[in-house]
Amino acid sequence: MPGDLPHPERSEIQLTDVLFALSDPERLAITRQLADGPLDMAACHSTDPNLPKSTKSHFMKVLREAGIIRNEPNGRRRMLTLRRDDLDALFPGLLDSVLR
């Protein structure tokens, strides 16, 4: 389907990739926002309002490729969701510990 981005299957998610993705304060801030529920990509922001759009896109790519978020088309926009079920199944308690 056009507009679809590749996401790792649950079995492909690696702890080292998840920890790397969450080690950046800006990516962690984005993940914390998504813990409250899905967000339109345009509404999701980092802690730095002056962040270039290309940097924000890179943050989303790192989070998506690590298996932390889903980034899916929603009309002309993109919807971001946290893959909590997958992460909790693979690494019980990790998200709760990191997001505190």
Side-chain angles (χ1 to χ4, degrees):
M1 176 180 225
D4 279 352
L5 297 171
H7 295 82
E9 296 294 326
R10 179 186 284 189
S11 62
E12 298 172 325
I13 298 173
Q14 300 293 313
L15 180 59
T16 53
D17 296 336
V18 171
L19 292 175
F20 171 77
L22 295 175
S23 69
D24 179 85
E26 300 295 336
R27 292 190 300 254
L28 181 58
I30 292 166
T31 304
R32 284 187 172 130
Q33 290 174 50
L34 293 172
D36 294 331
L39 284 174
D40 185 290
M41 186 164 166
C44 194
H45 56 84
S46 66
T47 57
D48 181 358
N50 299 317
L51 198 66
K53 186 177 178 181
S54 60
T55 303
K56 180 180 172 183
S57 294
H58 177 71
F59 287 162
M60 299 305 176
K61 178 182 178 187
V62 171
L63 291 168
R64 177 181 50 80
E65 289 180 347
I68 297 170
I69 67 169
R70 285 206 178 275
N71 182 336
E72 298 176 311
N74 184 23
R76 299 180 119 203
R77 306 185 122 188
R78 301 205 66 87
M79 185 61 63
L80 304 175
T81 55
L82 184 63
R83 293 181 64 178
R84 181 175 280 281
D85 290 345
D86 290 333
L87 294 169
D88 285 346
L90 291 167
F91 318 113
L94 176 70
L95 267 183
D96 290 334
S97 296
V98 172
L99 296 180
R100 277 190 211 136

